[in-house]
């Protein structure tokens, strides 16, 4: 069994004296793990950092085996080490992918969104891209939010809340006396335009509610990864 693909490294841990086990998100094979021979060496360890783009050759005797990777670097993202906020964003992405995405299940839309986000980290407005990445993640795990029309009135303008039950948007008029039971929807989340830190933070509270609810069974009632909480805290300090 063998294949060749492009991937983004999510994590690496030592395996034996000289090898390492890496976890990657790939374009065509989803989240995948494998052994890298010599991966614990100083030369390889410098390359096998979270966020690094890789060309991967995977081989195993049987498909269900963990298999081994031969890796070649495609894109280093070591520059993010000097940007505390961008590094927190990178680690939040890696942690959520590890917890939320089933192993060896392709997610082409999520791959494209993740690749775009990795290239945007550290650039102006990247926190809005991260927030929309979480929306994509929710879609891929089976609970996409419907932010197109009001669930009550059918209106497409003035959307102000999201129902915690259905994940559908609601206008202020449609919410009525139920507004205090709904989750605030920041303006602009449903498109691809810029968003300020306050709006991003509001959006992260929204996506965090649904991610927590949907991943609770997977996480065995543990909270969302600490890496995400760290990112939210850093964004909150800039508001």
């Amino acid at each position: 069994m063998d294949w060749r693909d492009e991937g983004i490294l999510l994590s690496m841990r030592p395996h034996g004296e000289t090898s390492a086990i890496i976890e990657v998100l790939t374009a065509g094979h989803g989240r995948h793990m494998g052994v890298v021979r010599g991966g614990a060496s100083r030369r390889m360890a410098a390359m096998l950092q979270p966020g690094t783009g890789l060309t991967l050759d995977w081989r195993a005797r049987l498909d269900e085996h963990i298999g081994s990777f031969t890796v070649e670097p495609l894109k280093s993202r070591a520059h993010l080490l000097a940007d505390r906020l961008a590094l927190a964003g990178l680690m939040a992405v890696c942690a959520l992918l590890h917890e939320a995405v089933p192993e060896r299940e392709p997610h082409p839309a999520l791959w494209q969104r993740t690749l775009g986000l990795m290239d945007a980290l550290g650039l102006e407005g990247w926190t809005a891209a991260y927030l929309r990445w979480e929306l994509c993640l929710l879609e891929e795990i089976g609970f996409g939010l419907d932010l197109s029309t009001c669930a009550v009135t059918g209106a497409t303008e003035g959307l102000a809340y999201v129902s915690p039950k259905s994940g559908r948007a609601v206008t202020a008029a449609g919410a009525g006396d139920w507004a205090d039971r709904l989750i605030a929807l920041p303006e602009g989340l449903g498109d691809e335009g810029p968003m300020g830190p306050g709006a991003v933070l509001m959006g992260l509270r929204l996506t965090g509610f649904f991610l927590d609810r949907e991943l609770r069974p997977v996480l065995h009632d543990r909270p969302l990864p600490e890496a995400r909480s760290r990112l939210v805290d850093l964004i909150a300090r800039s508001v």
Side-chain angles (χ1 to χ4, degrees):
M1 309 298 298
D2 62 89
W3 47 257
R4 185 177 178 86
D5 205 348
E6 179 182 350
I8 297 168
L9 193 137
L10 304 181
S11 67
M12 183 275 278
R13 68 177 189 268
H15 178 67
E17 293 185 4
T18 60
S19 298
I21 293 177
I22 64 170
E23 180 180 42
V24 292
L25 181 71
T26 66
H29 297 83
R31 183 172 66 85
H32 217 285
M33 299 179 71
V35 176
V36 178
R37 308 297 178 191
S41 69
R42 182 174 299 179
R43 180 184 67 84
M44 290 290 289
M47 177 178 68
L48 298 179
Q49 297 295 318
T52 302
L54 299 167
T55 297
L56 303 147
D57 287 286
W58 181 82
R59 292 182 178 82
R61 191 169 64 83
L62 296 174
D63 187 58
E64 59 267 26
H65 289 178
I66 188 171
S68 62
F69 278 127
T70 302
V71 301
E72 300 172 16
L74 273 179
K75 188 166 188 176
S76 170
R77 294 186 171 90
H79 63 283
L80 298 178
L81 293 172
D83 186 327
R84 186 182 181 191
L85 184 60
L87 181 60
L90 168 63
M91 300 312 294
V93 169
C94 293
L96 282 171
L97 287 170
H98 171 75
E99 299 289 8
V101 179
E103 195 174 357
R104 304 190 181 192
E105 184 178 288
H107 289 272
L110 182 61
W111 161 257
Q112 289 296 335
R113 179 70 72 165
T114 304
L115 191 61
L117 175 58
M118 289 289 174
D119 289 340
L121 287 171
L123 303 179
E124 184 177 357
W126 74 263
T127 55
Y130 173 86
L131 172 58
R132 293 178 177 121
W133 177 85
E134 287 199 346
L135 283 179
C136 179
L137 181 61
L138 279 168
E139 182 80 35
E140 293 296 307
I141 64 176
F143 199 84
L145 305 185
D146 183 354
L147 307 180
S148 58
T149 60
C150 175
V152 179
T153 67
T156 58
E157 301 292 334
L159 302 173
Y161 302 99
V162 175
S163 165
K165 182 176 293 187
S166 68
R168 295 191 63 188
V170 183
T171 61
D177 294 338
W178 293 81
D180 61 346
R181 303 185 186 184
L182 304 177
I183 306 171
L185 173 65
E187 186 176 357
L189 180 55
D191 55 44
E192 295 295 328
M195 298 175 69
V200 170
L201 188 62
M202 185 187 299
L204 289 172
R205 293 186 183 120
L206 171 66
T207 54
F209 171 84
F210 289 103
L211 284 170
D212 180 73
R213 189 181 73 181
E214 296 305 305
L215 293 178
R216 278 279 169 177
V218 177
L219 298 175
H220 305 290
D221 282 331
R222 289 183 287 112
L224 292 175
E226 183 181 347
R228 184 188 185 274
S229 301
R230 190 177 304 117
L231 172 63
V232 174
D233 288 343
L234 288 173
I235 294 175
R237 294 177 193 176
S238 67
V239 176

